[in-house]
Amino acid sequence: MKLLETLTQTPSVPGREDRVRAVIEKHVRKLFDKVTVDAMGNLIAVRKPRPAKKTGGKKKPIKVMLAAHMDQIGFLVSHVSDDGYVRVNPVGGFDTRNLFARKVRVCTSGGDLPAVMNPGGKPIHIASEEEKKQIPQVSDFYIDLGLDGDTVKKKVKIGDMVVLDGPFNMVGDYAVSQCLDNRVGCWAVIRAIESLKHHDCEIHAVWTVQEEVGLRGAGPAAFGVEPDIGISCDTTLCCKTPGVPDEQRVTLPGAGVCLKIMDGSTIADLGLIEDVEKVAAKKKIKCQRGVLPRGGQDGAMIQRSRTGVRTLVFACPVKNIHTVTEMSHKDDLASYHQLLAAYLTQL
Ligand SMILES: [Zn+2]
């Protein structure tokens, strides 16, 4: 869990993934034969087959691409006012109802600065009934660094990244943090490869950039890798919570990693899903199927690269997704990397 905590506490929004990439790179150097970074910033690690017995080297190995996006939803600074208030542009989808009264971190070239974020407008004590009902847009929020205008202008540049600031901790059976979407996927790929002894497939693990702004990094990476099989490693909704009808829960917490049947971007390869389910049954690892009517993930871009790629999606159920209180059940975290490793072993 220490690694997952470090990953969630390392700010990296779309286009600014260098910090989390450095953490991942440090962990995976010894696990792979070759580690490179492409022009967009995707981290690509290749591991040649490690066969249990010599095969004579004639059979071409199956090439598998794992893709885990390493960016998190956040903001880029768009304006600094003369009195030092900072305005931001979102990079990724926020529900503004979850953004009120937040502590944030403004990441500058001179270091990280603590700050608070609130929407412009009046406190309820002086607001009219009409004003109380309004839900603000992201553009209505401002960031207060508690410093005077001249100091803020010296320290903060247009384009600096801003992230919500929330701790990682265990709450009951759940890991709770910001950006479990998708540091969980990044973490699960590392844990799966760490546990792998033998495999006949050639593994290309890619920690991708800019997923949260429209799956931008995975396509170019897949074009370069030319995989036979693509596995998108991400998170998905878990709405087994009050106020949501059961038929819209998407996944159940604690029922194991979700093999996504479809979402708004991808219809997964059913044959591959059935293969993974057979491995799960044999190894007694929990997994569940899930359908998300909307949304997308990197698998869409792998599936549509070159002449098309057989693709499936591993997704960890996450309650309260895209908030600083994202929750993942410990059984779902464990089954994720165990099933991924078991599947890769037998490919
Ligand atoms: Zn995600």
Side-chain angles (χ1 to χ4, degrees), residues 69 181-182 211-212 234-235 296-297 322:
H69 74 85
D181 176 12
N182 180 37
E211 192 268 358
E212 294 287 4
D234 207 329
T235 56
Q297 37 59 48
H322 284 196

Side-chain angles (χ1 to χ4, degrees), residues 79-147:
H79 180 76
V80 182
S81 73
D82 289 340
D83 47 3
Y85 292 117
V86 171
R87 299 289 183 148
V88 290
N89 202 62
V91 272
F94 280 102
D95 180 344
T96 52
R97 291 173 300 177
N98 297 321
L99 285 180
F100 287 74
R102 288 290 164 202
K103 290 188 177 173
V104 298
R105 218 193 294 186
V106 182
C107 303
T108 75
S109 53
D112 293 358
L113 302 167
V116 295
M117 183 160 73
N118 279 291
K122 301 171 192 166
I124 50 162
H125 318 72
I126 52 169
S128 69
E129 285 311 311
E130 220 25 67
E131 283 168 334
K132 279 186 211 169
K133 279 190 220 143
Q134 285 162 9
I135 295 175
Q137 306 289 307
V138 178
S139 55
D140 295 329
F141 285 77
Y142 66 92
I143 288 164
D144 189 342
L145 289 102
L147 297 168

Side-chain angles (χ1 to χ4, degrees), residues 30-43:
K30 285 196 188 116
L31 298 171
F32 290 85
D33 301 313
K34 192 178 162 202
V35 180
T36 53
V37 178
D38 72 9
M40 281 194 80
N42 296 302
L43 178 66

Side-chain angles (χ1 to χ4, degrees), residues 1 3-5 7-8 20 24 67-71 168 175-192 207 233-236 257 314-318 321 326-330 332-337 340:
M1 285 296 163
L3 174 60
L4 183 56
E5 174 172 1
L7 291 170
T8 63
V20 75
I24 296 168
H69 74 85
M70 55 182 171
D71 57 321
F168 175 98
V176 176
S177 179
Q178 62 193 322
C179 70
L180 289 177
D181 176 12
N182 180 37
R183 302 299 153 73
V184 162
C186 297
W187 169 85
V189 170
I190 297 171
R191 285 284 174 259
W207 289 270
C233 300
D234 207 329
T235 56
T236 193
V257 61
F314 276 58
C316 189
V318 175
I321 204 160
E326 291 182 336
M327 302 175 82
S328 282
H329 195 281
K330 61 180 173 47
D332 300 334
L333 292 168
S335 66
Y336 196 142
H337 61 85
L340 185 57

Side-chain angles (χ1 to χ4, degrees), residues 306-322:
R306 291 190 179 261
T307 52
V309 178
R310 296 183 74 193
T311 297
L312 81 158
V313 183
F314 276 58
C316 189
V318 175
K319 295 204 276 190
N320 316 320
I321 204 160
H322 284 196

